Structure formats: structure tokens, C-alpha cells
PDB file of all heavy atoms in Angstrom:
ATOM      1  N   LYS A   1      -5.368 -40.081 -18.834  1.00 93.00           N
ATOM      2  CA  LYS A   1      -6.526 -39.876 -18.275  1.00 93.00           C
ATOM      3  C   LYS A   1      -7.439 -38.847 -18.956  1.00 93.00           C
ATOM      4  O   LYS A   1      -6.905 -38.066 -19.831  1.00 93.00           O
ATOM      5  CB  LYS A   1      -6.302 -39.210 -16.778  1.00 93.00           C
ATOM      6  CG  LYS A   1      -5.603 -40.159 -15.933  1.00 93.00           C
ATOM      7  CD  LYS A   1      -5.555 -39.732 -14.415  1.00 93.00           C
ATOM      8  CE  LYS A   1      -4.919 -40.812 -13.687  1.00 93.00           C
ATOM      9  NZ  LYS A   1      -5.392 -41.015 -12.382  1.00 93.00           N
ATOM     10  N   SER A   2      -8.688 -38.867 -18.740  1.00 94.00           N
ATOM     11  CA  SER A   2      -9.662 -37.872 -19.593  1.00 94.00           C
ATOM     12  C   SER A   2      -9.570 -36.479 -19.312  1.00 94.00           C
ATOM     13  O   SER A   2      -9.936 -35.647 -20.101  1.00 94.00           O
ATOM     14  CB  SER A   2     -11.020 -38.481 -19.473  1.00 94.00           C
ATOM     15  OG  SER A   2     -11.486 -38.465 -18.220  1.00 94.00           O
ATOM     16  N   ILE A   3      -9.090 -36.143 -18.094  1.00 95.00           N
ATOM     17  CA  ILE A   3      -9.007 -34.715 -17.740  1.00 95.00           C
ATOM     18  C   ILE A   3      -7.509 -34.397 -17.345  1.00 95.00           C
ATOM     19  O   ILE A   3      -6.779 -35.039 -16.613  1.00 95.00           O
ATOM     20  CB  ILE A   3      -9.873 -34.448 -16.474  1.00 95.00           C
ATOM     21  CG1 ILE A   3     -11.301 -34.698 -16.739  1.00 95.00           C
ATOM     22  CG2 ILE A   3      -9.604 -33.050 -15.996  1.00 95.00           C
ATOM     23  CD1 ILE A   3     -12.257 -34.498 -15.612  1.00 95.00           C
ATOM     24  N   PHE A   4      -7.107 -33.262 -17.904  1.00 95.00           N
ATOM     25  CA  PHE A   4      -5.814 -32.569 -17.562  1.00 95.00           C
ATOM     26  C   PHE A   4      -6.045 -31.369 -16.710  1.00 95.00           C
ATOM     27  O   PHE A   4      -6.712 -30.423 -17.348  1.00 95.00           O
ATOM     28  CB  PHE A   4      -5.080 -32.387 -18.841  1.00 95.00           C
ATOM     29  CG  PHE A   4      -3.546 -31.900 -18.713  1.00 95.00           C
ATOM     30  CD1 PHE A   4      -2.497 -32.663 -19.085  1.00 95.00           C
ATOM     31  CD2 PHE A   4      -3.282 -30.732 -18.089  1.00 95.00           C
ATOM     32  CE1 PHE A   4      -1.259 -32.325 -18.886  1.00 95.00           C
ATOM     33  CE2 PHE A   4      -1.941 -30.266 -17.778  1.00 95.00           C
ATOM     34  CZ  PHE A   4      -0.910 -31.114 -18.315  1.00 95.00           C
ATOM     35  N   TRP A   5      -5.635 -31.287 -15.595  1.00 94.00           N
ATOM     36  CA  TRP A   5      -5.982 -30.095 -14.774  1.00 94.00           C
ATOM     37  C   TRP A   5      -4.699 -29.380 -14.447  1.00 94.00           C
ATOM     38  O   TRP A   5      -3.824 -29.775 -13.906  1.00 94.00           O
ATOM     39  CB  TRP A   5      -6.639 -30.459 -13.380  1.00 94.00           C
ATOM     40  CG  TRP A   5      -6.775 -29.309 -12.369  1.00 94.00           C
ATOM     41  CD1 TRP A   5      -7.302 -28.138 -12.721  1.00 94.00           C
ATOM     42  CD2 TRP A   5      -6.684 -29.403 -11.039  1.00 94.00           C
ATOM     43  NE1 TRP A   5      -7.449 -27.425 -11.647  1.00 94.00           N
ATOM     44  CE2 TRP A   5      -6.998 -28.094 -10.532  1.00 94.00           C
ATOM     45  CE3 TRP A   5      -6.201 -30.416 -10.153  1.00 94.00           C
ATOM     46  CZ2 TRP A   5      -6.992 -27.862  -9.186  1.00 94.00           C
ATOM     47  CZ3 TRP A   5      -6.226 -30.048  -8.744  1.00 94.00           C
ATOM     48  CH2 TRP A   5      -6.659 -28.834  -8.291  1.00 94.00           C
ATOM     49  N   LEU A   6      -4.642 -28.121 -15.186  1.00 94.00           N
ATOM     50  CA  LEU A   6      -3.436 -27.178 -14.921  1.00 94.00           C
ATOM     51  C   LEU A   6      -3.970 -26.170 -13.863  1.00 94.00           C
ATOM     52  O   LEU A   6      -4.943 -25.510 -14.023  1.00 94.00           O
ATOM     53  CB  LEU A   6      -3.249 -26.462 -16.191  1.00 94.00           C
ATOM     54  CG  LEU A   6      -2.084 -25.488 -16.166  1.00 94.00           C
ATOM     55  CD1 LEU A   6      -0.761 -26.103 -15.890  1.00 94.00           C
ATOM     56  CD2 LEU A   6      -1.964 -24.653 -17.435  1.00 94.00           C
ATOM     57  N   ASN A   7      -3.418 -26.160 -12.697  1.00 92.00           N
ATOM     58  CA  ASN A   7      -3.679 -25.306 -11.703  1.00 92.00           C
ATOM     59  C   ASN A   7      -2.455 -24.312 -11.393  1.00 92.00           C
ATOM     60  O   ASN A   7      -1.339 -24.760 -11.450  1.00 92.00           O
ATOM     61  CB  ASN A   7      -4.318 -25.961 -10.502  1.00 92.00           C
ATOM     62  CG  ASN A   7      -3.228 -26.833  -9.693  1.00 92.00           C
ATOM     63  OD1 ASN A   7      -2.479 -26.326  -8.852  1.00 92.00           O
ATOM     64  ND2 ASN A   7      -3.157 -28.077 -10.078  1.00 92.00           N
ATOM     65  N   GLY A   8      -2.743 -23.250 -10.764  1.00 89.00           N
ATOM     66  CA  GLY A   8      -1.812 -22.240 -10.404  1.00 89.00           C
ATOM     67  C   GLY A   8      -2.440 -20.999  -9.851  1.00 89.00           C
ATOM     68  O   GLY A   8      -3.714 -20.765 -10.038  1.00 89.00           O
ATOM     69  N   MET A   9      -1.558 -20.118  -9.266  1.00 90.00           N
ATOM     70  CA  MET A   9      -2.260 -18.959  -8.598  1.00 90.00           C
ATOM     71  C   MET A   9      -2.402 -17.897  -9.804  1.00 90.00           C
ATOM     72  O   MET A   9      -2.090 -18.105 -10.921  1.00 90.00           O
ATOM     73  CB  MET A   9      -1.151 -18.366  -7.601  1.00 90.00           C
ATOM     74  CG  MET A   9      -0.861 -19.324  -6.429  1.00 90.00           C
ATOM     75  SD  MET A   9      -2.275 -19.979  -5.641  1.00 90.00           S
ATOM     76  CE  MET A   9      -2.905 -18.525  -4.827  1.00 90.00           C
ATOM     77  N   THR A  10      -3.186 -16.917  -9.359  1.00 85.00           N
ATOM     78  CA  THR A  10      -3.604 -15.789 -10.202  1.00 85.00           C
ATOM     79  C   THR A  10      -2.234 -15.224 -10.884  1.00 85.00           C
ATOM     80  O   THR A  10      -1.248 -15.000 -10.112  1.00 85.00           O
ATOM     81  CB  THR A  10      -4.278 -14.724  -9.559  1.00 85.00           C
ATOM     82  OG1 THR A  10      -5.455 -15.344  -8.872  1.00 85.00           O
ATOM     83  CG2 THR A  10      -4.773 -13.590 -10.497  1.00 85.00           C
ATOM     84  N   GLY A  11      -2.318 -14.986 -12.218  1.00 80.00           N
ATOM     85  CA  GLY A  11      -1.183 -14.307 -12.915  1.00 80.00           C
ATOM     86  C   GLY A  11      -0.090 -15.310 -13.419  1.00 80.00           C
ATOM     87  O   GLY A  11       0.967 -14.792 -13.806  1.00 80.00           O
ATOM     88  N   THR A  12      -0.265 -16.429 -13.172  1.00 80.00           N
ATOM     89  CA  THR A  12       0.729 -17.518 -13.687  1.00 80.00           C
ATOM     90  C   THR A  12       0.712 -17.887 -15.097  1.00 80.00           C
ATOM     91  O   THR A  12       1.527 -18.719 -15.581  1.00 80.00           O
ATOM     92  CB  THR A  12       0.767 -18.794 -12.726  1.00 80.00           C
ATOM     93  OG1 THR A  12      -0.548 -19.401 -12.734  1.00 80.00           O
ATOM     94  CG2 THR A  12       1.092 -18.396 -11.355  1.00 80.00           C
ATOM     95  N   GLY A  13      -0.229 -17.335 -15.879  1.00 83.00           N
ATOM     96  CA  GLY A  13      -0.326 -17.689 -17.293  1.00 83.00           C
ATOM     97  C   GLY A  13      -1.241 -18.858 -17.705  1.00 83.00           C
ATOM     98  O   GLY A  13      -1.161 -19.330 -18.841  1.00 83.00           O
ATOM     99  N   LYS A  14      -2.255 -19.184 -16.828  1.00 91.00           N
ATOM    100  CA  LYS A  14      -3.030 -20.388 -17.276  1.00 91.00           C
ATOM    101  C   LYS A  14      -3.971 -20.070 -18.446  1.00 91.00           C
ATOM    102  O   LYS A  14      -4.079 -20.838 -19.269  1.00 91.00           O
ATOM    103  CB  LYS A  14      -3.886 -20.616 -15.932  1.00 91.00           C
ATOM    104  CG  LYS A  14      -3.074 -21.223 -14.758  1.00 91.00           C
ATOM    105  CD  LYS A  14      -4.021 -21.544 -13.552  1.00 91.00           C
ATOM    106  CE  LYS A  14      -4.864 -20.327 -13.224  1.00 91.00           C
ATOM    107  NZ  LYS A  14      -4.179 -19.191 -12.681  1.00 91.00           N
ATOM    108  N   SER A  15      -4.434 -18.871 -18.462  1.00 90.00           N
ATOM    109  CA  SER A  15      -5.371 -18.556 -19.637  1.00 90.00           C
ATOM    110  C   SER A  15      -4.595 -18.369 -20.795  1.00 90.00           C
ATOM    111  O   SER A  15      -5.038 -18.771 -21.938  1.00 90.00           O
ATOM    112  CB  SER A  15      -6.107 -17.188 -19.256  1.00 90.00           C
ATOM    113  OG  SER A  15      -7.122 -17.580 -18.294  1.00 90.00           O
ATOM    114  N   THR A  16      -3.384 -17.759 -20.687  1.00 92.00           N
ATOM    115  CA  THR A  16      -2.569 -17.782 -21.940  1.00 92.00           C
ATOM    116  C   THR A  16      -2.129 -19.167 -22.506  1.00 92.00           C
ATOM    117  O   THR A  16      -2.254 -19.362 -23.665  1.00 92.00           O
ATOM    118  CB  THR A  16      -1.174 -17.098 -21.598  1.00 92.00           C
ATOM    119  OG1 THR A  16      -1.534 -15.717 -21.073  1.00 92.00           O
ATOM    120  CG2 THR A  16      -0.270 -16.836 -22.737  1.00 92.00           C
ATOM    121  N   ILE A  17      -1.883 -20.061 -21.573  1.00 93.00           N
ATOM    122  CA  ILE A  17      -1.622 -21.494 -21.984  1.00 93.00           C
ATOM    123  C   ILE A  17      -2.921 -22.048 -22.597  1.00 93.00           C
ATOM    124  O   ILE A  17      -3.008 -22.761 -23.679  1.00 93.00           O
ATOM    125  CB  ILE A  17      -1.151 -22.328 -20.898  1.00 93.00           C
ATOM    126  CG1 ILE A  17       0.239 -21.753 -20.502  1.00 93.00           C
ATOM    127  CG2 ILE A  17      -1.172 -23.814 -21.149  1.00 93.00           C
ATOM    128  CD1 ILE A  17       0.732 -22.302 -19.066  1.00 93.00           C
ATOM    129  N   SER A  18      -3.994 -21.814 -21.945  1.00 94.00           N
ATOM    130  CA  SER A  18      -5.337 -22.320 -22.551  1.00 94.00           C
ATOM    131  C   SER A  18      -5.630 -21.813 -23.960  1.00 94.00           C
ATOM    132  O   SER A  18      -6.050 -22.653 -24.809  1.00 94.00           O
ATOM    133  CB  SER A  18      -6.583 -21.852 -21.572  1.00 94.00           C
ATOM    134  OG  SER A  18      -6.496 -22.540 -20.443  1.00 94.00           O
ATOM    135  N   ARG A  19      -5.370 -20.529 -24.229  1.00 93.00           N
ATOM    136  CA  ARG A  19      -5.613 -19.991 -25.641  1.00 93.00           C
ATOM    137  C   ARG A  19      -4.608 -20.646 -26.449  1.00 93.00           C
ATOM    138  O   ARG A  19      -5.007 -20.938 -27.599  1.00 93.00           O
ATOM    139  CB  ARG A  19      -5.489 -18.487 -25.545  1.00 93.00           C
ATOM    140  CG  ARG A  19      -6.725 -17.798 -25.042  1.00 93.00           C
ATOM    141  CD  ARG A  19      -6.600 -16.316 -25.162  1.00 93.00           C
ATOM    142  NE  ARG A  19      -5.500 -15.752 -24.246  1.00 93.00           N
ATOM    143  CZ  ARG A  19      -5.725 -15.306 -23.030  1.00 93.00           C
ATOM    144  NH1 ARG A  19      -6.856 -15.601 -22.465  1.00 93.00           N
ATOM    145  NH2 ARG A  19      -4.666 -14.826 -22.300  1.00 93.00           N
ATOM    146  N   THR A  20      -3.467 -20.843 -26.140  1.00 93.00           N
ATOM    147  CA  THR A  20      -2.376 -21.513 -26.956  1.00 93.00           C
ATOM    148  C   THR A  20      -2.822 -22.858 -27.300  1.00 93.00           C
ATOM    149  O   THR A  20      -2.673 -23.204 -28.472  1.00 93.00           O
ATOM    150  CB  THR A  20      -1.085 -21.448 -26.275  1.00 93.00           C
ATOM    151  OG1 THR A  20      -0.672 -20.087 -25.899  1.00 93.00           O
ATOM    152  CG2 THR A  20       0.076 -22.004 -27.153  1.00 93.00           C
ATOM    153  N   VAL A  21      -3.177 -23.678 -26.260  1.00 95.00           N
ATOM    154  CA  VAL A  21      -3.554 -25.176 -26.654  1.00 95.00           C
ATOM    155  C   VAL A  21      -4.792 -25.086 -27.369  1.00 95.00           C
ATOM    156  O   VAL A  21      -5.014 -26.081 -28.217  1.00 95.00           O
ATOM    157  CB  VAL A  21      -3.499 -26.041 -25.325  1.00 95.00           C
ATOM    158  CG1 VAL A  21      -2.063 -26.035 -24.818  1.00 95.00           C
ATOM    159  CG2 VAL A  21      -4.463 -25.626 -24.403  1.00 95.00           C
ATOM    160  N   ALA A  22      -5.663 -24.327 -27.107  1.00 94.00           N
ATOM    161  CA  ALA A  22      -7.006 -24.206 -27.909  1.00 94.00           C
ATOM    162  C   ALA A  22      -6.693 -23.928 -29.447  1.00 94.00           C
ATOM    163  O   ALA A  22      -7.209 -24.726 -30.266  1.00 94.00           O
ATOM    164  CB  ALA A  22      -7.920 -23.196 -27.332  1.00 94.00           C
ATOM    165  N   GLN A  23      -5.879 -23.086 -29.698  1.00 94.00           N
ATOM    166  CA  GLN A  23      -5.422 -22.746 -30.963  1.00 94.00           C
ATOM    167  C   GLN A  23      -4.808 -24.022 -31.647  1.00 94.00           C
ATOM    168  O   GLN A  23      -5.008 -24.348 -32.873  1.00 94.00           O
ATOM    169  CB  GLN A  23      -4.578 -21.512 -31.129  1.00 94.00           C
ATOM    170  CG  GLN A  23      -4.200 -21.042 -32.562  1.00 94.00           C
ATOM    171  CD  GLN A  23      -5.487 -20.595 -33.342  1.00 94.00           C
ATOM    172  OE1 GLN A  23      -6.280 -19.792 -32.985  1.00 94.00           O
ATOM    173  NE2 GLN A  23      -5.710 -21.276 -34.428  1.00 94.00           N
ATOM    174  N   LEU A  24      -3.742 -24.431 -30.943  1.00 94.00           N
ATOM    175  CA  LEU A  24      -3.185 -25.640 -31.436  1.00 94.00           C
ATOM    176  C   LEU A  24      -4.014 -26.752 -31.794  1.00 94.00           C
ATOM    177  O   LEU A  24      -3.999 -27.362 -32.823  1.00 94.00           O
ATOM    178  CB  LEU A  24      -2.191 -26.175 -30.296  1.00 94.00           C
ATOM    179  CG  LEU A  24      -1.439 -27.384 -30.574  1.00 94.00           C
ATOM    180  CD1 LEU A  24      -0.264 -27.295 -31.611  1.00 94.00           C
ATOM    181  CD2 LEU A  24      -0.818 -28.039 -29.300  1.00 94.00           C
ATOM    182  N   PHE A  25      -4.963 -27.183 -30.786  1.00 96.00           N
ATOM    183  CA  PHE A  25      -5.924 -28.168 -31.160  1.00 96.00           C
ATOM    184  C   PHE A  25      -6.841 -27.879 -32.169  1.00 96.00           C
ATOM    185  O   PHE A  25      -7.231 -28.749 -32.934  1.00 96.00           O
ATOM    186  CB  PHE A  25      -6.604 -28.607 -29.804  1.00 96.00           C
ATOM    187  CG  PHE A  25      -5.753 -29.137 -28.711  1.00 96.00           C
ATOM    188  CD1 PHE A  25      -5.904 -28.894 -27.393  1.00 96.00           C
ATOM    189  CD2 PHE A  25      -4.723 -30.069 -29.055  1.00 96.00           C
ATOM    190  CE1 PHE A  25      -5.166 -29.531 -26.389  1.00 96.00           C
ATOM    191  CE2 PHE A  25      -4.011 -30.629 -28.076  1.00 96.00           C
ATOM    192  CZ  PHE A  25      -4.211 -30.317 -26.765  1.00 96.00           C
ATOM    193  N   LYS A  26      -7.165 -26.611 -32.410  1.00 95.00           N
ATOM    194  CA  LYS A  26      -8.044 -26.227 -33.469  1.00 95.00           C
ATOM    195  C   LYS A  26      -7.320 -26.419 -34.739  1.00 95.00           C
ATOM    196  O   LYS A  26      -7.869 -27.035 -35.718  1.00 95.00           O
ATOM    197  CB  LYS A  26      -8.460 -24.710 -33.321  1.00 95.00           C
ATOM    198  CG  LYS A  26      -9.416 -24.250 -34.459  1.00 95.00           C
ATOM    199  CD  LYS A  26      -9.766 -22.843 -34.341  1.00 95.00           C
ATOM    200  CE  LYS A  26     -10.649 -22.256 -35.454  1.00 95.00           C
ATOM    201  NZ  LYS A  26     -10.969 -20.972 -35.357  1.00 95.00           N
ATOM    202  N   ASP A  27      -6.070 -26.105 -34.864  1.00 94.00           N
ATOM    203  CA  ASP A  27      -5.248 -26.307 -36.007  1.00 94.00           C
ATOM    204  C   ASP A  27      -5.098 -27.692 -36.408  1.00 94.00           C
ATOM    205  O   ASP A  27      -5.012 -28.044 -37.586  1.00 94.00           O
ATOM    206  CB  ASP A  27      -3.842 -25.660 -35.799  1.00 94.00           C
ATOM    207  CG  ASP A  27      -3.893 -24.066 -35.781  1.00 94.00           C
ATOM    208  OD1 ASP A  27      -4.931 -23.502 -36.109  1.00 94.00           O
ATOM    209  OD2 ASP A  27      -2.946 -23.511 -35.277  1.00 94.00           O
TER     210      ASP A  27
END
């Protein structure tokens, strides 16, 4: 699918994962 939705409550590390995959995809 064209969209991958990662959802979770506050403090579960969603933004940390976003930064990680952004760096991975940039690399």
C-alpha cells in the first residue's frame, strides 16, 4: 500500500522511529 500508518500513544517512540527511517531512506 502507498501509506504506512504507525500509530501509538504519546511517548511510545513514534518520532524517534520517524527520524530513524528518514535517515535510513536518505542514506
Side-chain angles (χ1 to χ4, degrees):
K1 295 191 181 218
S2 57
I3 297 179
F4 188 114
W5 178 36
L6 177 65
N7 67 83
M9 299 311 290
T10 302
T12 56
K14 297 179 302 296
S15 292
T16 302
I17 292 166
S18 289
R19 283 187 292 275
T20 303
V21 296
Q23 185 64 58
L24 171 76
F25 293 142
K26 181 180 179 183
D27 294 345

